[in-house]
Amino acid sequence: IHVFNRHSRQRNYKTEFESCRPEIVPLDFGDYHPLKPITVIESKTKKMGRKGSTSSTSSSSSSSMVDPLSSVLDGTDPLSMFAAIADPVTTTVNMDGSRKKRDRDDNSLVGTDFEPWSSKRGDILARYTTTEKLSIVSCKTTTSTSAMSEKVRTRLEELDDLEEGSQRELLNLTQQDYMNRIEELNQSLKDAWASDQKVKALKIVIQCSKLLSDTSVIQFYPSKFVLITDILDTFGKLVYERILSMCMDNRSILSDHFSPENVNDTAKETCLNWFFKIASIRELIPRFYVEAAILNCNKFLSKTGISECLPRLTCMIRGIGDPLVSVYARAYLCRVGMEVAPHLKESLNKNFFDFLLTFKQIHGDTVQNQLVVQGVEIPLYLTLYSPAIDWILQCIAYHAPEVLLTEMMERCKKLGNNALLLNSVMSAFRAEFIATRAMDFIGMIKECDESGFPKHLLFRSLGLNLALADPPESDRLQILNEAWKVITKLKNPQDYINCAEVWVEYTCRHFTKREVNTVLADVIKHMTPDRAFEDAYPQLHSIIKKVIAYFHDFSILFSVEKFLPFLDMFQKENVRVEVCKCIMEAFIKHQQEPTKDPVILNALLHVCKTMHDSVNALTLEDEKRMLAVLINGFIKMVSFGRDFEQQLSFYVETRSMFCNLEPVLVQLIHSVNKLTMETRRVMKGNHSRKTAAFVRACVAFCFITIPSLTGIFTRLNLYLHSGQVALANQCLSQADAFFRAAVSLVPEVPKMINIDGKMRPSESFLLEFLSNLFSTLLIVPDHPEQGVLFLVRGLLNVIQDYTWEDNSDDKIRIYTNVLHLLSAMNQETYLYHVDKVDSNDSLYGGDSKFLAENNKLCETVITQILEHLKALGKDETLKRQSVLALSFFNSILAHGDLRNNKLNQLSVNLWNLAQRHGCADTRTMVKTLEYIKKRSKQPEMSHLSELALRLPLQTRT
């Protein structure tokens, strides 16, 4: 194959566009609509006569109006069909699923608005801790025997030994050791049950229940209650499921709402046996807890079993002398009652009213002596009651009528407005009920005794309700004044901030920026002395969140005098940054229109600067990315309207402030380019002396900013983009500078680049960039002091010198794209132009010297391509050679003048090379030949018919 002068085909782009448009054909849809269902009629066809074909085919013809899926199924839905035919085996296998559904139905009266015990468990364990040493009783393990008579005798002996010293006591355990031991007991219970050692399982539960009578480390009691009742819950579930499984066989299962008549005698006898075993427990506390744990099993014996047992268990609690142990026993009964019979509210109410009758015991001599021995103050002791009383009242107040709250308030008054009870009442009842009576509660809080339970906790509970529901409008200011009188007098900064945090939301919800400013000023006043704010960052952060949640107009927010001084209290850097991120997220979410308000700009620049300055060498990439997104969101929302110079000044200032975050610099470059194009739009492309100087300043901003970026392809693409903007604004020398910078940067592209933390080859990205660059170079006019096509020449030199991968053909693909570019440059009129910029078609006007230079470059590029094809033949990389040869053939077909004999011969040679070694795709070759024949019928393409005759199709043997 010889090197020759390239001749591009002369093209009429307008005619080509017209020929490529789809033909307009009028359609009569009739009743057809694409969303209507269709009918599919399946029709069998004869076997095709293809040689070697053994399979039959079927065709489908469509007419109106049935869903094809439904027609195949004869109108039956397969899921419904399977559900309707219940398989007995499947029914047995799905027994667990039925059980879960039954459990859900039992609790149907308890909706998702009821906060479950499981959500409180973690808080209690975290709050009630101790450093004191604890003790626990461990049961001795007995060896099980296989003989039935021996097994019965062993069980009887074990039951006798349950309370007669068959255990050892573990002393001096830390809290963590104690919790681990409880977990071991829970696992031992499951293991004993799984190995059919039911008596051992009962023994473990009894010994664990006994621990609830021990108040020797009283401040740990709530957490101990949580841990022990977990074991009781496990035991109750195991017993219930055991009896339930005895009610089922392979033929039937119990319905979801079964009655005792459906339970077989074996299951009933087993159930009674469990209750008799538990009734034989001598000590009151374990007997109560274990029976309460299996309360749900009463439904196997009698319809009224649960409703009869609840009052009896309530009365049993009266025999527990310690008021703390007693109230937690009542809490457990309420917990079980809400799970198995939430409709029996009367028993729950009786349970609580029993507690109120014995409430005075808390201040009795026995309790006081115990507290003195353990060194526990009465306020701390009273907080131990809160989880239990809160839970009892939550159960009572759930879906309770408003009149019950009135009754509770009256009982509290009779007990002298006991603060502990009042706090639990406000926590339990619906916020709407509390808010309506807010002034009544304030009056009761004022009359409370301060010594036992602090009043600020009561105001905090009231504030939590008022954040969820609105009090009467006439009372709102008086409520705030009364509450804040108490809050502002608090000396302890932690007590103060815990209370103030709640009431800030009430203030923001109902009042203006003046009241909010007053509250913020008071917080600053209380938290600044002795740097108390350092211990209250979570609460201070919460206050900021609440303020910005209610003030979406940032001009009002930043006009709150004490808002920025409030931010100054966040002096720990990571906390300060989190607060700044919170503010910026709110601004981006709620700011609807661009702003130029100096108050907003100054404040948010300060906030963004804080975020930016937190970036250091240890900052994670994800964190940098998040900060950059927030700062970019702010930059996009700043607009000075037609004051373009002020806008550019803002971008210059932000560039100096945020130089460590590359995505922000990229956004600034894009913003300045957008500003340049906006100036062009306003001037309708006709720049005055002033606007011409301004756009050159914008271009200069981009040119000096891009080199500071580290990402190689970020720089390349920004050079290209900024060069296009400069060209559109008639800044020709600046555009040349951008393109030259891009060309000179190409040799620095590494072989591998980091994409989302993974190293990937860069050649595909480079190919994409160069293709975009070629599209732009078509319209870039030559520099008067440089040679013809100096940018293209320089780029070809760079491509030639670049070290490409040995197994890559991207270099040749790039050369093929260069040929497309040179072909487009040979046209009398280019495919596209930039307004008010004369491209080379206007400058040279088809000058022969220009065309000769163009052909010379074509010759050089073609030589490179052919040498590469030849090299692929030597290396036996025949598949790649075939693909590239066909690709080059298509390029010549699309852009070359095939009336040129040498070009015509080259295309034939490439065609033959593509299929020489049987590597070509036959279907592609056939379609290509059909396309050539089709084009040969066009008036100016008749010469292609001769070419088609010279292109043979080779078959594989």
Side-chain angles (χ1 to χ4, degrees):
I1 301 174
H2 299 287
V3 178
F4 60 95
N5 284 337
R6 164 89 170 175
H7 291 283
S8 300
R9 176 169 66 87
Q10 291 301 313
R11 303 176 66 172
N12 187 327
Y13 291 119
K14 186 174 182 182
T15 305
E16 288 186 34
F17 277 135
E18 291 295 332
S19 67
C20 291
R21 285 182 180 172
E23 184 180 358
I24 300 173
V25 179
L27 292 177
D28 181 15
F29 287 100
D31 291 334
Y32 170 75
H33 188 279
L35 298 182
K36 283 187 177 180
I38 60 172
T39 299
V40 176
I41 302 173
E42 187 177 4
S43 61
K44 304 278 184 177
T45 63
K46 287 196 296 181
K47 209 181 278 187
M48 302 299 287
R50 258 174 70 181
K51 185 177 180 181
S53 173
T54 58
S55 62
S56 65
T57 61
S58 65
S59 65
S60 298
S61 61
S62 64
S63 64
S64 58
M65 303 292 171
V66 175
D67 175 9
L69 299 180
S70 298
S71 66
V72 172
L73 297 167
D74 297 326
T76 58
D77 172 12
L79 299 180
S80 302
M81 186 170 61
F82 290 142
I85 304 172
D87 182 1
V89 178
T90 307
T91 302
T92 306
V93 171
N94 290 334
M95 190 170 66
D96 287 340
S98 300
R99 185 180 305 148
K100 289 176 182 175
K101 185 175 186 299
R102 182 184 299 110
D103 291 342
R104 286 198 301 272
D105 289 340
D106 287 344
N107 293 332
S108 59
L109 292 175
V110 180
T112 55
D113 55 338
F114 183 81
E115 185 181 4
W117 174 260
S118 57
S119 67
K120 299 176 180 292
R121 182 180 180 281
D123 291 338
I124 296 173
L125 290 174
R127 182 179 175 189
Y128 298 98
T129 59
T130 183
T131 56
E132 300 283 332
K133 295 299 181 181
L134 303 162
S135 62
I136 190 169
V137 173
S138 177
C139 309
K140 288 196 297 188
T141 304
T142 58
T143 306
S144 61
T145 55
S146 57
M148 180 56 68
S149 59
E150 193 70 26
K151 186 175 181 181
V152 171
R153 193 177 73 200
T154 304
R155 282 187 172 181
L156 291 172
E157 290 174 355
E158 284 182 343
L159 283 171
D160 288 338
D161 286 346
L162 280 178
E163 302 168 59
E164 295 177 4
S166 64
Q167 62 268 341
R168 58 194 175 90
E169 189 171 13
L170 301 178
L171 302 173
N172 296 324
L173 299 177
T174 64
Q175 179 179 323
Q176 189 58 50
D177 293 337
Y178 189 92
M179 294 172 72
N180 293 340
R181 182 61 188 145
I182 293 290
E183 183 56 39
E184 288 173 14
L185 286 171
N186 201 354
Q187 189 59 46
S188 298
L189 168 65
K190 295 175 184 176
D191 295 341
W193 192 272
S195 59
D196 203 28
Q197 298 182 55
K198 303 296 189 296
V199 172
K200 180 182 177 183
L202 178 60
K203 192 173 182 180
I204 292 171
V205 174
I206 292 172
Q207 294 303 330
C208 289
S209 302
K210 284 184 178 182
L211 296 173
L212 291 174
S213 62
D214 174 26
T215 57
S216 57
V217 184
I218 202 164
Q219 62 266 38
F220 185 64
Y221 192 84
S223 292
K224 183 199 290 188
F225 171 80
V226 168
L227 297 170
I228 300 299
T229 52
D230 283 350
I231 297 178
L232 289 165
D233 292 341
T234 300
F235 176 72
K237 184 179 178 183
L238 291 171
V239 173
Y240 182 84
E241 290 182 353
R242 164 71 176 150
I243 299 171
L244 186 66
S245 66
M246 298 174 72
C247 300
M248 303 179 183
D249 55 36
N250 290 335
R251 291 165 305 189
S252 64
I253 61 173
L254 287 180
S255 64
D256 291 338
H257 299 286
F258 66 88
S259 64
E261 291 79 15
N262 305 125
V263 180
N264 58 45
D265 292 341
T266 305
K268 284 184 177 179
E269 184 178 351
T270 303
C271 186
L272 279 170
N273 189 31
W274 276 110
F275 280 110
F276 291 153
K277 284 178 184 177
I278 292 167
S280 68
I281 300 172
R282 295 172 190 162
E283 293 187 24
L284 172 62
I285 290 177
R287 186 168 73 249
F288 163 79
Y289 273 107
V290 179
E291 183 175 353
I294 66 165
L295 180 66
N296 201 24
C297 295
N298 279 281
K299 64 171 66 172
F300 295 110
L301 302 175
S302 142
K303 288 183 179 179
T304 59
I306 294 176
S307 60
E308 291 170 357
C309 278
L310 275 174
R312 180 172 57 79
L313 290 171
T314 301
C315 292
M316 282 175 66
I317 299 174
R318 294 175 182 174
I320 300 175
D322 190 308
L324 185 64
V325 177
S326 169
V327 76
Y328 275 94
R330 296 183 190 281
Y332 186 67
L333 187 60
C334 284
R335 183 168 132 199
V336 175
M338 284 299 285
E339 288 176 4
V340 302
H343 56 286
L344 298 176
K345 282 291 187 69
E346 292 178 7
S347 297
L348 302 182
N349 293 350
K350 181 183 177 185
N351 188 10
F352 181 69
F353 294 144
D354 268 9
F355 165 69
L356 292 182
L357 292 174
T358 60
F359 189 73
K360 292 181 181 178
Q361 285 182 312
I362 293 175
H363 301 285
D365 292 341
T366 306
V367 173
Q368 296 297 326
N369 293 338
Q370 184 184 18
L371 296 182
V372 171
V373 171
Q374 296 197 32
V376 176
E377 298 291 334
I378 190 71
L380 174 61
Y381 175 69
L382 290 178
T383 60
L384 302 178
Y385 284 81
S386 292
I389 299 176
D390 288 350
W391 177 256
I392 295 170
L393 279 168
Q394 179 185 325
C395 297
I396 293 173
Y398 183 65
H399 287 180
E402 200 167 351
V403 66
L404 182 60
L405 175 59
T406 306
E407 183 180 351
M408 287 292 177
M409 292 173 70
E410 291 301 320
R411 286 180 177 268
C412 285
K413 288 177 182 176
K414 288 180 181 177
L415 289 169
N417 289 327
N418 183 274
L420 178 63
L421 286 179
L422 200 56
N423 189 62
S424 294
V425 167
M426 287 190 289
S427 300
F429 281 86
R430 288 174 55 189
E432 293 83 357
F433 295 171
I434 304 295
T436 306
R437 298 167 173 77
M439 287 305 300
D440 294 336
F441 275 102
I442 286 176
M444 294 170 71
I445 292 171
K446 284 181 177 179
E447 295 173 7
C448 281
D449 181 14
E450 184 85 39
S451 61
F453 199 91
K455 285 186 181 179
H456 68 85
L457 293 180
L458 298 175
F459 274 107
R460 187 178 190 279
S461 297
L462 179 60
L464 288 170
N465 282 285
L466 297 181
L468 299 173
D470 299 334
E473 190 170 352
S474 57
D475 294 341
R476 289 175 186 173
L477 183 58
Q478 187 179 357
I479 290 170
L480 179 62
N481 289 335
E482 292 291 345
W484 209 260
K485 281 179 190 174
V486 176
I487 296 169
T488 195
K489 290 177 182 176
L490 294 173
K491 303 297 183 186
N492 185 308
Q494 205 61 41
D495 292 343
Y496 171 84
I497 196 63
N498 285 335
C499 208
E501 172 204 353
V502 172
W503 282 88
V504 163
E505 183 167 2
Y506 174 78
T507 311
C508 295
R509 188 181 176 106
H510 298 296
F511 299 99
T512 64
K513 69 174 187 178
R514 187 172 69 88
E515 288 80 7
V516 172
N517 189 61
T518 303
V519 169
L520 294 182
D522 196 58
V523 173
I524 294 170
K525 176 184 172 184
H526 278 77
M527 302 308 294
T528 304
D530 300 324
R531 300 178 67 86
F533 53 77
E534 291 181 344
D535 298 321
Y537 284 137
Q539 295 91 332
L540 295 174
H541 192 178
S542 174
I543 289 174
I544 288 289
K545 284 183 176 178
K546 289 170 181 175
V547 171
I548 61 179
Y550 286 94
F551 286 85
H552 296 164
D553 187 339
F554 276 72
S555 60
I556 294 176
L557 177 64
F558 289 123
S559 65
V560 175
E561 183 184 348
K562 295 297 181 180
F563 184 77
L564 290 179
F566 190 93
L567 291 182
D568 291 337
M569 286 195 291
F570 295 96
Q571 295 188 8
K572 189 177 180 181
E573 186 180 64
N574 62 331
V575 179
R576 190 179 182 87
V577 170
E578 286 300 316
V579 172
C580 291
K581 284 160 63 174
C582 183
I583 293 171
M584 292 310 304
E585 285 168 0
F587 175 78
I588 293 168
K589 180 179 179 180
H590 298 298
Q591 185 70 25
Q592 301 295 328
E593 298 293 330
T595 182
K596 61 177 181 179
D597 187 328
V599 175
I600 294 178
L601 297 190
N602 289 333
L604 291 184
L605 278 174
H606 171 70
V607 170
C608 290
K609 178 68 172 166
T610 301
M611 294 194 299
H612 170 269
D613 292 348
S614 69
V615 175
N616 55 44
L618 300 179
T619 306
L620 298 175
E621 288 301 318
D622 282 348
E623 178 70 8
K624 289 182 183 178
R625 194 177 300 116
M626 183 184 295
L627 296 178
V629 166
L630 295 175
I631 295 174
N632 286 344
F634 164 60
I635 291 171
K636 291 176 188 174
M637 291 305 297
V638 175
S639 173
F640 290 89
R642 288 290 185 88
D643 191 350
F644 293 158
E645 291 183 353
Q646 183 65 34
Q647 189 81 36
L648 181 59
S649 298
F650 171 76
Y651 292 144
V652 171
E653 182 183 0
T654 49
R655 180 179 63 183
S656 65
M657 293 176 72
F658 308 128
C659 55
N660 289 336
L661 288 173
E662 187 161 310
V664 177
L665 297 180
V666 172
Q667 177 59 46
L668 287 172
I669 293 168
H670 285 306
S671 297
V672 171
N673 279 331
K674 182 180 177 183
L675 180 63
T676 309
M677 295 305 291
E678 180 67 14
T679 307
R680 178 181 182 273
R681 186 189 65 79
V682 170
M683 299 303 294
K684 298 179 180 178
N686 299 311
H687 283 299
S688 64
R689 180 178 296 179
K690 182 178 180 181
T691 58
F694 175 74
V695 296
R696 285 196 295 272
C698 292
V699 169
F701 175 99
C702 297
F703 192 75
I704 64 175
T705 306
I706 293 173
S708 64
L709 305 175
T710 57
I712 187 79
F713 281 101
T714 303
R715 278 184 282 163
L716 284 171
N717 287 311
L718 285 174
Y719 274 133
L720 177 57
H721 182 221
S722 300
Q724 292 167 343
V725 171
L727 195 63
N729 285 275
Q730 301 113 51
C731 302
L732 301 184
S733 60
Q734 287 86 349
D736 271 349
F738 278 116
F739 298 136
R740 283 201 304 271
V743 171
S744 64
L745 194 58
V746 169
E748 297 180 23
V749 175
K751 295 290 176 290
M752 306 291 287
I753 56 172
N754 190 318
I755 303 292
D756 295 331
K758 295 181 180 179
M759 299 305 292
R760 301 187 185 280
S762 63
E763 287 191 4
S764 60
F765 297 97
L766 183 58
L767 176 61
E768 180 186 358
F769 166 74
L770 291 175
S771 299
N772 291 334
L773 180 57
F774 295 149
S775 300
T776 303
L777 291 182
L778 173 64
I779 52 174
V780 177
D782 281 343
H783 195 285
E785 298 176 3
Q786 306 288 343
V788 176
L789 301 178
F790 77 102
L791 282 174
V792 178
R793 289 175 183 278
L795 190 53
L796 285 173
N797 291 334
V798 168
I799 294 169
Q800 178 63 28
D801 295 339
Y802 188 80
T803 306
W804 300 89
E805 293 290 339
D806 294 335
N807 61 346
S808 169
D809 298 318
D810 284 335
K811 180 179 180 181
I812 302 309
R813 293 190 178 93
I814 291 171
Y815 277 146
T816 306
N817 287 342
V818 172
L819 288 179
H820 300 167
L821 169 64
L822 294 173
S823 171
M825 284 181 164
N826 253 4
Q827 307 302 316
E828 290 183 8
T829 303
Y830 289 170
L831 179 59
Y832 45 85
H833 294 87
V834 174
D835 190 30
K836 296 183 174 56
V837 174
D838 291 330
S839 298
N840 286 340
D841 57 343
S842 300
L843 293 179
Y844 293 108
D847 181 70
S848 58
K849 289 184 179 180
F850 173 75
L851 296 178
E853 287 292 332
N854 190 309
N855 285 334
K856 203 171 180 181
L857 284 177
C858 288
E859 180 181 328
T860 304
V861 173
I862 290 174
T863 302
Q864 293 289 333
I865 295 174
L866 296 180
E867 286 179 358
H868 186 78
L869 284 172
K870 191 174 181 181
L872 290 178
K874 288 179 181 178
D875 294 338
E876 301 300 323
T877 49
L878 301 177
K879 180 67 177 175
R880 285 169 55 195
Q881 184 190 57
S882 173
V883 171
L884 281 179
L886 184 59
S887 174
F888 191 23
F889 172 84
N890 286 328
S891 292
I892 293 176
L893 184 64
H895 299 280
D897 185 358
L898 291 173
R899 286 172 294 195
N900 180 294
N901 292 333
K902 289 185 177 181
L903 201 58
N904 196 299
Q905 183 59 45
L906 174 61
S907 63
V908 173
N909 293 343
L910 289 170
W911 178 270
N912 293 330
L913 180 63
Q915 50 186 352
R916 177 176 299 168
H917 300 285
C919 297
D921 179 30
T922 306
R923 182 180 297 178
T924 304
M925 304 299 285
V926 170
K927 287 186 176 181
T928 305
L929 189 56
E930 288 174 355
Y931 170 73
I932 294 171
K933 291 176 180 178
K934 182 179 177 181
R935 283 195 62 189
S936 68
K937 295 177 183 178
Q938 297 176 6
E940 297 180 359
M941 295 292 175
S942 57
H943 59 281
L944 292 181
S945 57
E946 298 177 12
L947 175 65
L949 296 174
R950 300 176 61 196
L951 302 178
L953 282 173
Q954 295 182 6
T955 58
R956 298 180 185 178
T957 58

